[in-house]
Each structure stands twice: as structure tokens, then as C-alpha cells.
Amino acid sequence: MKYDCAIVGGGPAGLNAALVLGRARRSVALFDSNQPRNRVTHASHGFITRDGVKPAEFRRIAYEELLRYPSVQHRQSEVIEIHSADHCFELTTASDERVQARKLILSAGLKEIFPDIEGIHDFYGTSLFNCPFCDGWELRDQPLAVISDHPAVFHKLKLLLNWSRDIIACTNGNQSLLNDAQRHELISRGIQVVDTPIAALSGTDGILERVHFTDGTEIMRSGGFIDPVQLPYASFQETLGYETSDNGGIVADAMGKTSVAGLFAAGDMAYVMPSQLIYAAASGSKAAMSVMAELTEEDWQSM
């Protein structure tokens, strides 16, 4: 059987794309390896009607709704290889299953690479987060540490003042991260900058308590934000030849169409930032509508 569309990735983008296509009576193979990036977090925020939902509960509800449509098939397997030929995509899974589809949506999301700091994984998703819009409310008015060597940290620090006025910026040894003018602006607004590398984080039951530096000093903090390096969870650029952006995302237009005929991208894999459920779900919906437009035109021409 050749599917109308294969979707690689079962995050909010892939799930919403499958929902739109399923309701349009199109045959869909949704590949989901069940490794969502937000699985470590206590709750997801900013999605109307689902604010505060646990990631596992979000997926349960999504599949309950999605699998009402008989044309959608959920395949819990990892796609390891994709080739295209003769207006068709062939996908191969880790279990050597092969599936063909007329169209393809890549929505496998991102993976995060963290700095080598002892204890960091004990707090990420509980009291240490990435996105202020997603978790700033939960850390409001608390003493925060912002651990980052990302060039956009100056903007993040300004943004975080909306949630807390007790912020310490930790550059983890990257003294060139902030210029003199930026440092002056931060200090004048009560934001301390620490350039000493971080040795470890400590706390209890996922709640951050101390940031320990390599010179033996430490600061008391109850939460914070970090900027892990974000890379596409899976790459098929070598065989599909799509265009990528400087940050590693797949270049696509506003409706998810890429530089490769029949190939679409949605969610974090396409735009990398901002990384929010509602943003990803919307991009999945748009990509599905773009797929539908192409399928409809092709079927019309073949009648």
C-alpha cells in the first residue's frame, strides 16, 4: 500500500498534521518513536484548553482523538532512512519495515545537548527550564540563575525581568558572551554577571538550591533557565537533499513546503525557535493543508 502521506515525528506538529489529513480522508502513516523532547518536564504551558497538561497526558488525548479516523495508522517505530524516486518516498524503519508515500512531512523535532555540568539533568524540566513563556510563571519572584553561552542571552535576561527581579547570569566561563555595554545595562538593572565556570548544581527532589563554581564559591538559587544546544532529532538531508538553515533547521515556506518536491517540514524541525506546543501544532496543520492542496491537484489532473 502506498500512503497519501507519511509523517515522521509524533510531537504536536506531526499529531496535528495527521489529524487534519485524517479528517480529510487521506491515508496517513504516522511514525512516532515515543521520545518527545518535553517528556522530562512536569507540565506543558501556553496551549489554550491544555495549560498545565502533563506531556504524557497530552499525547494520550491526542492519540485518542487521532485514531478515531480509520485512515490514520500509528506506527511506533523509528525511521532511519528515507529515499525519494518517481514521485514517491520510501521510508525504512529500525526494524527494516518499508513504507511508501506520495508526500512526506518531517516533524521529528529537536534533541538537546547540555553543557557538561554535574547535576544538570537532576533539575531540567522541574526547576531548570529553557523557555520563559513556557515556565516563567512557575518561577515568578524567585531567585533565578540563567546559565547560557548563547548569543541571545542578553535578550533572554531582559525578558526574564517580567517574571523575577532576582536574576544572576552565569556565562559558564564565556567572558566574551556579553560586551561592556550589555554588562553595564544588566548591572544597572540589578542583574549580576558571573563568568566563573560552573562545577555543579545541587538541590533536593529536582528543586535547585545551589550553583557551585570551579573557584569554590556558590550562589543560592531556587530555579533558573538554560540554553542547551538544539539540533534536529533526525536528519535525512544526505538522501533527500533539502535546504537547511544556519541553525540546522529545514528551510520551508510559511505552509511548510521545502525545496524538495513533495516534502514538507513542520514543528521545531523546521523553524527551531520559538519552541512551543501551540506553535508546533499550528505549523503541522499548515503543512497538512499544503499537502492536501498538492494531493487534490494531482488527483484532479488524473481524473
Side-chain angles (χ1 to χ4, degrees), residues 65-94:
E65 296 175 348
L66 182 59
L67 297 181
R68 296 171 186 165
Y69 301 95
S71 62
V72 178
Q73 289 193 10
H74 170 215
R75 296 171 178 265
Q76 189 170 321
S77 53
E78 181 182 5
V79 175
I80 60 172
E81 193 172 314
I82 306 177
H83 294 274
S84 63
D86 300 323
H87 306 289
C88 176
F89 295 93
E90 183 172 279
L91 298 82
T92 303
T93 69

Side-chain angles (χ1 to χ4, degrees), residues 114-121 147 172 197-201 211-212 226:
F114 292 88
D116 186 16
I117 298 174
E118 181 183 339
I120 196 168
H121 295 287
I147 302 169
N172 198 24
I198 298 171
L201 305 178
V211 179
H212 304 268
I226 189 166

Side-chain angles (χ1 to χ4, degrees), residues 123-150:
F123 307 102
Y124 191 65
T126 306
S127 59
L128 191 64
F129 304 99
N130 176 30
C131 173
F133 289 104
C134 299
D135 299 287
W137 173 261
E138 282 64 41
L139 296 182
R140 65 193 184 279
D141 299 324
Q142 295 186 37
L144 305 180
V146 177
I147 302 169
S148 178
D149 62 358
H150 192 282

